[in-house]
Amino acid sequence: MIVPGPILLLGAPGVGKGTQAKELVQHWGIPQISTGDLLRANVAQGTPLGKTAKEIMHRGELVPDSLVNEMVAVRLQQPDTVKGYILDGFPRTLAQAHWLDGRLSTQTEALPLVAVSIQVDYNQLLRRITGRRNCPVCQTIYNIYTKPPQRAGFCDVEGAALVQRADDTEKAFAERMRAYEAQTAPVIEHYRELGRFIEVPGDGPIAAIAAGIVAAVERLRQ
């Protein structure tokens, strides 16, 4: 088995990035690193970085790249990252990508980052997102197109009326897609130019998609 090294997992809202990250964590025995999780953990633990971030968020401002970078830098010093790690949500911008590349280049043992993008047709993503309904009692998730409840609009387990999240509407999804494409397009081009970017199909069984990602990483590492 190859040493996976640092992997950036990309994908539009609804492609199943989180699901695939868990599959890869199991396959390689490496951690998933999410900047959202890092931020929440630092705030909850009251670290110096967390306290600074909390003050910024309390003012209603966005946490700057420099602070996020510092949190990532601390996390990458942990021993469980030696063989590699799955990055989710970072680098989100070209500036973050340059920062991470620069950091990795100073570590003699570190492999360069490779980026893998999970591709799913827009209309299929739309059905995945806008068809999603969840039970407010037991949190079971349904999809009116692909996994409908036995009785339309009601949970099979609790019988409670199913609800749709506010950001699962078609309008909200379109806005999220625009934001994702605007943010990630420069990052994708950056790694494509370096020969460290590959796309994999995201439609099919979970295990098959994961196998496709593993094969893609192996090709990029050759």
Side-chain angles (χ1 to χ4, degrees):
M1 187 184 292
I2 64 156
V3 175
I7 301 162
L8 169 59
L9 203 56
L10 294 163
V15 300
K17 259 199 331 291
T19 300
Q20 288 305 318
K22 289 181 177 64
E23 292 286 309
L24 300 175
V25 164
Q26 285 192 332
H27 179 79
W28 279 310
I30 59 177
Q32 175 187 4
I33 299 175
S34 158
T35 46
D37 291 345
L38 279 182
L39 188 57
R40 284 186 289 272
N42 274 273
V43 170
Q45 292 164 15
T47 67
L49 292 174
K51 288 176 181 176
T52 304
K54 188 175 182 179
E55 290 172 5
I56 292 169
M57 291 187 292
H58 188 70
R59 296 197 298 266
E61 299 170 10
L62 291 173
V63 177
D65 273 4
S66 56
L67 193 57
V68 175
N69 292 353
E70 284 188 64
M71 288 183 184
V72 171
V74 171
R75 179 66 183 88
L76 296 188
Q77 290 170 0
Q78 299 300 311
D80 63 345
T81 65
V82 172
K83 286 197 304 177
Y85 39 87
I86 311 292
L87 287 167
D88 180 5
F90 183 94
R92 192 184 296 271
T93 65
L94 194 55
Q96 288 176 339
H98 285 307
W99 173 85
L100 185 59
D101 286 351
R103 178 181 173 78
L104 292 174
S105 69
T106 65
Q107 298 173 299
T108 52
E109 300 295 320
L111 290 168
L113 181 97
V114 294
V116 180
S117 180
I118 304 171
Q119 298 292 304
V120 176
D121 174 74
Y122 181 91
N123 289 331
Q124 188 179 338
L125 285 178
L126 189 62
R127 282 165 62 91
R128 284 188 190 181
I129 298 291
T130 61
R132 195 158 52 189
R133 302 288 187 275
N134 73 291
C135 174
V137 181
C138 68
Q139 304 305 316
T140 299
I141 298 173
Y142 299 87
N143 188 291
I144 61 174
Y145 303 112
T146 59
K147 188 191 169 187
Q150 293 173 6
R151 180 183 167 210
F154 295 89
C155 177
D156 295 343
V157 182
E158 300 290 341
L162 300 177
V163 295
Q164 182 182 35
R165 289 184 353 193
D167 60 349
D168 281 350
T169 63
E170 186 169 351
K171 181 182 178 184
F173 175 69
E175 289 172 359
R176 287 166 68 194
M177 282 294 289
R178 278 195 293 272
Y180 169 77
E181 287 167 358
Q183 278 190 326
T184 58
V187 176
I188 287 172
E189 285 312 307
H190 171 68
Y191 289 112
R192 195 196 301 275
E193 286 174 10
L194 292 172
R196 294 196 256 122
F197 172 78
I198 199 165
E199 295 177 341
V200 297
D203 185 18
I206 290 169
I209 299 166
I213 296 171
V214 169
V217 171
E218 288 176 347
R219 284 200 299 276
L220 288 169
R221 288 293 180 215
Q222 285 176 354

